[in-house]
Amino acid sequence: MCGRYAITLPDDAMVQLFSAAPANNLPDVPNYNVCPTTDIHVVTGDAEFGRRLVSMRWGFVPEWYKTPTDGPLLINARSETIAQKPAFRNACRTRRCLIPVSGFYEWTKDSDGTRWPWYIHADQTLALAGVWQRWGSEDNQLSSCAVVTTGANETMSQVHHRMPVVIDEADWGLWLGEQGHGAATLMKAADEELLSFHQVDRAVNSNRASGAQLIEVA
């Protein structure tokens, strides 16, 4: 799964990287401890208006929820079942998005049950596959999203059995629906050589922790 991440790229750099028009309510960056239910940066595509960099709640809210907390917190969507699950099947066809991250965290447990965090990253900003949804009335509308995950590749399996789907830059348009059909073929594990990881301080176990030291080698 993907339950915590870091984003250090400034807004204007994200705008340039994704060729996207920015909204005026983007979350603060850098943020080394992005947690579920907070607002995050999301890139959407639109045939009429082009790409936009917007703010959305991390935690997908299905249209039938009476309140945003009416059911389970859906921060991830499994690629293997996303097309069949009622919560995600429409979004995976028509409302796909990219979620920029500098890296993300996963945890392992030792024999005593202690959770040890690891920071997984690449040499460049990663664009995670996501799906999004509008919920509520026009007067009180909430946009929310989930990260698409898949089975881990051999490298990542040393830390966790699943990983977020990473979309290559050449495929951003396909995932966003700008280049016709075929997005389903992108829901696979990243190449082995893309990601690196190192252990970090257990301070990040707290969702209130902050600061660049969270991603430093422990």
Side-chain angles (χ1 to χ4, degrees):
M1 63 176 294
C2 179
R4 207 87 67 78
Y5 71 84
I7 177 66
T8 63
L9 203 64
D11 290 346
D12 56 352
M14 279 189 262
V15 166
Q16 183 174 6
L17 177 62
F18 292 98
S19 300
N24 59 11
N25 63 338
L26 297 173
D28 293 335
V29 284
N31 186 343
Y32 294 89
N33 193 8
V34 181
C35 302
T37 73
T38 60
D39 290 339
I40 65 173
H41 293 79
V42 174
V43 179
T44 62
D46 186 281
E48 183 178 357
F49 299 105
R51 294 180 189 175
R52 297 197 68 215
L53 180 65
V54 299
S55 175
M56 291 190 188
R57 175 189 188 264
W58 184 14
F60 190 97
V61 182
E63 58 185 357
W64 61 82
Y65 277 21
K66 295 179 181 178
T67 70
T69 57
D70 194 37
L73 179 60
L74 305 176
I75 62 171
N76 292 163
R78 294 174 67 94
S79 62
E80 299 89 342
T81 58
I82 192 172
Q84 290 80 43
K85 291 288 186 180
F88 301 122
R89 61 190 177 198
N90 289 332
C92 79
R93 295 187 184 98
T94 61
R95 293 186 302 278
R96 297 185 298 272
C97 61
L98 298 170
I99 300 172
V101 309
S102 301
F104 57 96
Y105 300 96
E106 288 294 358
W107 281 260
T108 56
K109 285 186 178 180
D110 62 18
S111 58
D112 297 327
T114 302
R115 298 177 74 237
W116 295 96
W118 300 79
Y119 183 63
I120 300 100
H121 58 96
D123 293 332
Q124 73 270 355
T125 299
L126 300 169
L128 306 187
V131 290
W132 67 279
Q133 170 78 36
R134 288 193 183 97
W135 176 90
S137 64
E138 289 188 10
D139 295 333
N140 185 27
Q141 198 167 80
L142 173 69
S143 294
S144 63
C145 63
V147 175
V148 180
T149 66
T150 190
N153 59 28
E154 186 174 351
T155 301
M156 271 295 301
S157 65
Q158 300 174 67
V159 179
H160 200 273
H161 67 284
R162 295 193 67 78
M163 65 184 296
V165 172
V166 180
I167 305 297
D168 293 337
E169 183 172 359
D171 295 321
W172 289 351
L174 182 58
W175 182 255
L176 292 175
E178 300 167 352
Q179 300 171 3
H181 301 291
T185 63
L186 305 178
M187 291 191 288
K188 57 187 179 181
D191 292 340
E192 297 288 344
E193 64 274 13
L194 177 65
L195 300 174
S196 302
F197 58 87
H198 59 262
Q199 196 168 36
V200 294
D201 193 275
R202 290 177 60 212
V204 77
N205 289 0
S206 170
N207 59 14
R208 291 174 297 199
S210 63
Q213 74 279 0
L214 296 180
I215 66 172
E216 295 176 357
V217 178

